[in-house]
Amino acid sequence: MLRVVRLHAPAWWPAFLFAAALLLSGCSLLPQKDAAESDATPGAVASAGGTAGTAFTVDVQAEPATVREFLERHLEIQRFRELDDLGAVEISRLMVAAEANARELLNTLGYFTPTLTLELRETPGGKAPREVRITVEPGPLTRVSSVQIDFSGPIAENPAAEAQRDAIRTGWALRAGQPFNQQAWDAAKTGALRTLTARRYPTGSILASKAEIDADRSEARLGATYESGPAYRFGPLVVNGSQRYPVDSVRRLARVPTGAEYDQQLLLDAQQRLASSGYFNSVFLTLDTTTDPHAAPVVAQLTEAPLQRVVLGVGFTTDSGARLSIDHSHNDMPLLGWRAVSKLTIDRDLQSLGTEWTAIPDDSGWRSFASGQLKSEVSGSFTVDSGRLRGGRSQGGDHIDRSIFLQYDYAVNRGFNPPPSASALSLNWGWTGRYFDNAAAPTRGQGVALELAGGYTLSGEQLPFTRTYVRWIGFVPAGTVSNDDDTQRRNARIQLRAEAGVVSAADRAQIPSTLNFLTGGDTTVRGYGYRSIGAVKPDGQVIAGRYLGVASIEWQRPFVYQGQLTAWDSTVFIDVGAVADRPADMSAKVGVGVGARWASPIGPVQMDLAYGIAVHAFRFHLRLGFTF
């Protein structure tokens, strides 16, 4: 509800009387010529110099530009321009309605005391025989003076919901001191309702709302009352559309927390687990709010994916050029009943063929898996032909992934005076935690991954070794950037990255090069080629090394164009990385540069121009998407 309160004589009353007098007279806005003559021959005026088929043009004079553009788009008088049989009297009457329409439009922008002047001009040499000029002085912009948010229903009395009530109040988008307009008012109400219905109370609603406008003080007093409805808990999963897979398998894939308080994010997470499992083409999960709130069924509407699928893909990376890939998936392998995904990839520096088999997870989310891969890639100064077999258990969670597996590796190095070929068997443990505000395009939060392995070399002398690898990324807010009218804001941020790796073994141990480390490229040290930074042999050739260190700092700032926030960010960065066979031989390679980030409809696009100080060369890096 929008209510305008005026504490003094209403400014629009004299204007209304004046407009009414103009309407009754029907001629006060006519140009200074014979009205009867102009009305009798509308076609003659058009043919004398205007464009046939256009009765008049509309020229809006207003500042700021956002007001002018808004009026030009939404004024109803624009709809009548193409009626070429309109005379001056009819246009004058349309102008009276246009004044009221313009005031209504300005009210939605937060301008409640505008001054408008409407003129009808003869323009025989213009685009049309007449021009309607609307001059607008919008007056002071109304700002919010106070906000009152109240609650009704169970949420008002539930002590456990105090944090939710506080979140709604603190998250209210249209705060005291900010400019008032209808769009921001509607968005604030809707945003608070989303916060209410996102947890415990999915049937919540707006019970009442009001915006009291003091036009003379240019102030708005806002109030809203929210009705929560009953609190809901997740009940059993009801599956519709699954024919090939048992309901229990769908339940274990979704992992809906039956018995827990309703949380929209938990429902979306379960939906995402089903959608990303590969078993279904479409997934839609809803809470049935027509039944018992203490055990509301979760309804899964599914469309199964084909039993087998082949996908051809082409792509391009600045690291390795054009890429061709072929993927084959089988969702129900004979005998095992596992899912198999096989992939062939070919690009300039890498050719690989691999397959991974995974079982349906158990009730705890753990699943068995097996995988194999053959690969040939350029690593440092050599080409490495390698193979890898894995088998073990993994668990994928909303924020944490875990795995434990047995792994066999072999690597054959090709080139001038290559390192010896090697093979090894190891037991591996992996843990990854992701704590981002947005998994696809994070702006705050952090992620950390840890890999530990221990095993024996199988080539030459059989010797023990251990391998440790850790990587981390963090996003730290660094101020807020807003548009000119302060209605949109986005955080600038500092992105920090770090990697470290160590392979501990006797010097004579023959470690497969695929277990050692190389760095450089789009996601590590920019300004250098992909996996071009490694340990340096006495003859100058680069090989994979036993020690790795990488660090990066990047400042990302939203880009403002013509006073408006855009979907782009500008960046500056410094990357440092080093690889060696001994810690004393670590020599840092530094890359510096600038770049841009674009929040595209299909994911974040990262573009960087980096200068590798050690190689004295610029390098362009392009990457689509964010993964950790």
Side-chain angles (χ1 to χ4, degrees), residues 19 49 133 235 240 242 249 284 323 338 387 420 445 458 523 597 602:
R133 174 168 294 184
N240 296 325
S242 180
S249 295
F284 189 59
R323 171 173 293 181
W338 290 14
L458 302 179
T523 60
R597 304 288 178 267
I602 59 173

Side-chain angles (χ1 to χ4, degrees), residues 271-282:
Q271 179 172 290
Q272 180 59 35
R273 283 190 286 270
L274 285 173
S276 61
S277 69
Y279 292 98
F280 306 102
N281 275 342
S282 66

Side-chain angles (χ1 to χ4, degrees), residues 234-285:
F234 289 117
L237 181 67
V238 178
V239 178
N240 296 325
S242 180
Q243 299 175 353
R244 189 181 302 126
Y245 314 109
V247 172
D248 190 59
S249 295
V250 178
R251 178 187 60 80
R252 284 184 280 152
L253 285 168
R255 302 202 309 273
V256 175
T258 302
E261 288 185 329
Y262 169 78
D263 189 314
Q264 186 181 60
Q265 188 57 53
L266 295 179
L267 194 66
L268 292 175
D269 291 341
Q271 179 172 290
Q272 180 59 35
R273 283 190 286 270
L274 285 173
S276 61
S277 69
Y279 292 98
F280 306 102
N281 275 342
S282 66
V283 177
F284 189 59
L285 265 59

Side-chain angles (χ1 to χ4, degrees), residues 282-417:
S282 66
V283 177
F284 189 59
L285 265 59
T286 57
L287 187 74
D288 185 356
T289 58
T290 63
T291 59
D292 180 11
H294 300 293
V298 176
V299 180
Q301 191 66 44
L302 308 174
T303 302
E304 292 181 342
L307 182 61
Q308 297 190 63
R309 173 182 290 173
V310 176
V311 178
L312 302 178
V314 294
F316 176 85
T317 67
T318 49
D319 279 335
S320 52
R323 171 173 293 181
L324 171 67
S325 65
I326 304 174
D327 294 60
H328 173 264
S329 61
H330 194 304
N331 284 343
D332 194 1
M333 296 175 62
L335 301 179
L336 283 177
W338 290 14
R339 183 170 190 264
V341 178
S342 304
K343 185 172 185 177
L344 171 67
T345 301
I346 300 173
D347 63 30
R348 183 184 63 207
D349 299 326
L350 170 69
Q351 299 83 45
S352 71
L353 174 65
T355 185
E356 183 172 18
W357 303 352
T358 55
I360 296 288
D362 58 25
D363 287 331
S364 63
W366 284 90
R367 67 169 75 197
S368 300
F369 76 92
S371 67
Q373 185 180 55
L374 296 174
K375 183 167 59 175
S376 178
E377 66 177 334
V378 176
S379 294
S381 300
F382 301 94
T383 298
V384 179
D385 299 328
S386 63
R388 173 171 290 174
L389 293 174
R390 280 181 178 177
R393 301 269 286 170
S394 66
Q395 182 191 54
D398 298 330
H399 300 291
I400 297 175
D401 296 340
R402 300 177 178 90
S403 62
I404 184 168
F405 53 91
L406 190 66
Q407 178 171 297
Y408 167 76
D409 289 275
Y410 81 85
V412 177
N413 301 286
R414 294 189 288 113
F416 175 75
N417 190 24

Side-chain angles (χ1 to χ4, degrees), residues 86-313:
L86 289 179
V89 172
E90 287 84 358
I91 297 175
S92 299
R93 290 169 180 166
L94 288 174
M95 291 168 62
V96 174
E99 181 178 4
N101 179 220
R103 291 185 183 275
E104 292 176 357
L105 293 172
L106 290 166
N107 287 353
T108 66
L109 296 178
Y111 298 99
F112 291 91
T113 57
T115 301
L116 288 85
T117 304
L118 285 79
E119 303 173 85
L120 181 60
R121 298 184 174 188
E122 294 290 345
T123 55
K127 296 181 179 179
R130 298 181 179 86
E131 176 190 82
V132 175
R133 174 168 294 184
I134 305 175
T135 304
V136 180
E137 295 179 10
L141 180 61
T142 299
R143 293 185 176 271
V144 177
S145 61
S146 63
V147 178
Q148 178 67 38
I149 300 176
D150 298 311
F151 299 95
S152 176
I155 190 175
E157 303 172 356
N158 185 0
E162 181 178 358
Q164 189 173 3
R165 295 193 298 267
D166 291 342
I168 293 172
R169 289 190 173 105
T170 58
W172 181 263
L174 191 55
R175 310 189 67 81
Q178 291 183 332
F180 173 86
N181 61 67
Q182 189 66 46
Q183 182 179 5
W185 168 230
D186 291 340
K189 292 186 291 183
T190 303
L193 181 60
R194 279 198 295 264
T195 305
L196 171 64
T197 58
R199 190 178 180 194
R200 292 194 183 95
Y201 308 104
T203 59
S205 60
I206 301 175
L207 183 63
S209 66
K210 62 179 180 179
E212 294 183 347
I213 308 298
D214 184 343
D216 296 312
R217 294 179 181 269
S218 299
E219 293 180 351
R221 295 185 292 274
L222 309 181
T225 301
Y226 289 89
E227 165 63 44
S228 67
Y232 281 78
R233 289 183 176 272
F234 289 117
L237 181 67
V238 178
V239 178
N240 296 325
S242 180
Q243 299 175 353
R244 189 181 302 126
Y245 314 109
V247 172
D248 190 59
S249 295
V250 178
R251 178 187 60 80
R252 284 184 280 152
L253 285 168
R255 302 202 309 273
V256 175
T258 302
E261 288 185 329
Y262 169 78
D263 189 314
Q264 186 181 60
Q265 188 57 53
L266 295 179
L267 194 66
L268 292 175
D269 291 341
Q271 179 172 290
Q272 180 59 35
R273 283 190 286 270
L274 285 173
S276 61
S277 69
Y279 292 98
F280 306 102
N281 275 342
S282 66
V283 177
F284 189 59
L285 265 59
T286 57
L287 187 74
D288 185 356
T289 58
T290 63
T291 59
D292 180 11
H294 300 293
V298 176
V299 180
Q301 191 66 44
L302 308 174
T303 302
E304 292 181 342
L307 182 61
Q308 297 190 63
R309 173 182 290 173
V310 176
V311 178
L312 302 178

Side-chain angles (χ1 to χ4, degrees), residues 317-320 497 520-530 575 606 608 619-623:
T317 67
T318 49
D319 279 335
S320 52
R497 283 191 293 112
D522 296 346
T523 60
T524 56
V525 184
R526 288 161 288 188
Y528 300 84
Y530 178 60
D575 297 339
Q606 306 179 38
D608 297 309
R619 194 176 186 93
F620 180 70
H621 298 271
L622 177 65
R623 184 183 177 208

